[in-house]
Amino acid sequence: DAKTTQPNSMESNEEEPVHLPCNHSTISGTDYIHWYRQLPSQGPEYVIHGLTSNVNNRMASLAIAEDRKSSTLILHRATLRDAAVYYCILREAGTASKLTFGTGTRLQVML
Amino acid sequence: GAVVSQHPSWVICKSGTSVKIECRSLDFQATTMFWYRQFPKQSLMLMATSNEGSKATYEQGVEKDKFLINHASLTLSTLTVTSAHPEDSSFYICSARAGTATNEKLFFGSGTQLSVL
């Protein structure tokens, strides 16, 4: 699996936008960029994924660099419930490929 | 979204006993499920890939005789920790794939906290 690099931790103020970066310089043309998050004492949950174009859903937005070597997960208005570890993962589509988790970014949301 | 149910949520057992953890896909069929373990303050580590109707594929360093996986139906995979010891105490999480080839996602169970005394 191609490797991703994320900051270990980030802080945000409540109600403000959060930009979580991810570097994936060795990404291949068939790799999708997936984001999952894990709240304390829970299993991870899907956030968003994309291939080349920016993506939006009810949870977040995903901005993908033109060369695809980096991406940014955007939480438009952070709340205390968004405090979690966010994982950026590359996954080849159309195969039974497994999901390999890196260390992720621990997001703290301050009042 | 799809729901994956994992039971039990937590279990405490004596050293030497076996513990079975169930993972069910509630509203979709899952030919492939994944089992992870997670130690405190660490990331998820993939243990094995569970395939319906065939043998599981284990990651390097994971003992297949220690962690028995059975995927007898399209909605159920079980992980049995045999002869559990304190070092097996961990948070075990299952997941299942759902969606199309270009829109595939993983859905995770809520995890099982295993404590071996």
Side-chain angles (χ1 to χ4, degrees):
Chain A
D1 293 330
K3 188 176 178 180
T4 62
T5 305
Q6 299 176 254
N8 288 332
S9 63
M10 290 185 66
E11 283 186 6
S12 171
N13 293 321
E14 199 177 17
E15 302 296 318
E16 291 187 357
V18 182
H19 290 229
L20 298 165
C22 181
N23 288 321
H24 28 78
S25 58
T26 59
I27 190 170
S28 74
T30 54
D31 284 335
Y32 278 73
I33 302 160
H34 284 248
W35 283 82
Y36 286 78
R37 72 178 186 180
Q38 185 178 24
L39 280 65
S41 301
Q42 295 186 29
E45 65 174 336
Y46 168 83
V47 178
I48 201 167
H49 78 284
L51 184 62
T52 56
S53 302
N54 295 343
V55 184
N56 299 295
N57 67 21
R58 63 176 180 81
M59 289 182 72
S61 295
L62 176 60
I64 301 172
E66 196 168 336
D67 63 5
R68 299 209 327 126
K69 294 185 176 183
S70 66
S71 61
T72 302
L73 179 70
I74 302 166
L75 306 179
H76 297 285
R77 288 178 63 202
T79 69
L80 296 178
R81 288 177 293 181
D82 292 321
V85 179
Y86 287 78
Y87 296 98
C88 168
I89 304 166
L90 302 183
R91 190 155 187 269
E92 187 176 1
T95 69
S97 60
K98 51 203 176 187
L99 217 58
T100 302
F101 285 77
T103 54
T105 297
R106 182 173 298 275
L107 175 66
Q108 289 184 288
V109 181
M110 319 298 284
L111 282 170
Chain B
V3 177
V4 173
S5 175
Q6 185 174 344
H7 291 283
S9 297
W10 57 269
V11 57
I12 301 172
C13 70
K14 293 182 179 180
S15 186
T17 60
S18 295
V19 174
K20 180 186 282 189
I21 303 170
E22 290 189 350
C23 182
R24 295 180 185 272
S25 56
L26 294 187
D27 50 0
F28 66 103
Q29 293 182 331
T31 55
T32 303
M33 292 186 177
F34 303 94
W35 287 95
Y36 294 83
R37 66 187 298 182
Q38 184 176 34
F39 293 107
K41 304 292 185 184
Q42 294 187 23
S43 186
L44 285 77
M45 183 191 79
L46 181 66
M47 298 175 66
T49 302
S50 171
N51 303 297
E52 188 268 335
S54 65
K55 291 183 179 180
T57 304
Y58 290 83
E59 294 300 300
Q60 191 173 8
V62 178
E63 300 175 58
K64 62 180 181 180
D65 295 329
K66 172 77 171 174
F67 299 100
L68 299 179
I69 291 173
N70 184 279
H71 195 154
S73 78
L74 288 171
T75 58
L76 174 64
S77 175
T78 60
L79 169 68
T80 301
V81 183
T82 62
S83 186
H85 291 282
E87 57 266 30
D88 298 322
S89 298
S90 186
F91 191 52
Y92 293 85
I93 309 167
C94 70
S95 70
R97 295 164 53 209
T100 62
T102 56
N103 194 33
E104 189 179 83
K105 306 167 189 170
L106 281 194
F107 294 91
F108 289 81
S110 54
T112 298
Q113 183 63 54
L114 171 64
S115 297
V116 184
L117 304 178

